[in-house]
Amino acid sequence: MKISYAPKFVRQYKKLTWEMQELVAKRENIFRKDPFDPRLKTHKLSGALDGFYAFSITYSHRVIFKFIDPVNIHFHQVGDHDIYE
């Protein structure tokens, strides 16, 4: 599995606390093994974000991503629920 990162994702990631960055890294490791692992609560988005998916980092933080093809995934955004706006 190859994961690419949008510039916006990188900027948002750098603004997270060190502790939150560590949690994102741990969740990404789980994601790489199984994007639909129940611990991630991966779900399809709708509306303006139709075609995208999100998985949970914490109760309030998410990663928005898109499947480009079966082996290529693009992480678009990371942060709290404000990223859905």
Side-chain angles (χ1 to χ4, degrees):
M1 172 184 303
K2 287 185 174 182
I3 297 176
S4 60
Y5 305 92
K8 187 172 189 172
F9 177 93
V10 174
R11 284 192 308 274
Q12 291 170 330
Y13 179 82
K14 287 179 181 179
K15 290 179 182 178
L16 297 173
T17 64
W18 181 84
E19 292 83 5
M20 188 60 66
Q21 289 179 3
E22 286 291 312
L23 285 173
V24 171
K26 287 178 184 178
R27 292 295 182 158
E28 183 178 328
N29 285 334
I30 295 168
F31 181 88
R32 286 178 180 276
K33 292 175 186 160
D34 179 5
F36 293 97
D37 186 300
R39 294 174 286 181
L40 298 174
K41 299 179 181 145
T42 303
H43 56 283
K44 189 170 180 151
L45 302 176
S46 60
L49 293 171
D50 188 39
F52 289 88
Y53 290 78
F55 69 86
S56 297
I57 303 302
T58 64
Y59 178 76
S60 62
H61 284 74
R62 308 277 185 274
V63 169
I64 294 176
F65 68 96
K66 189 170 199 170
F67 288 102
I68 305 303
D69 58 44
V71 290
N72 293 297
I73 295 166
H74 191 70
F75 281 12
H76 283 271
Q77 295 187 59
V78 61
D80 61 19
H81 285 109
D82 291 342
I83 63 175
Y84 291 121
E85 298 174 355

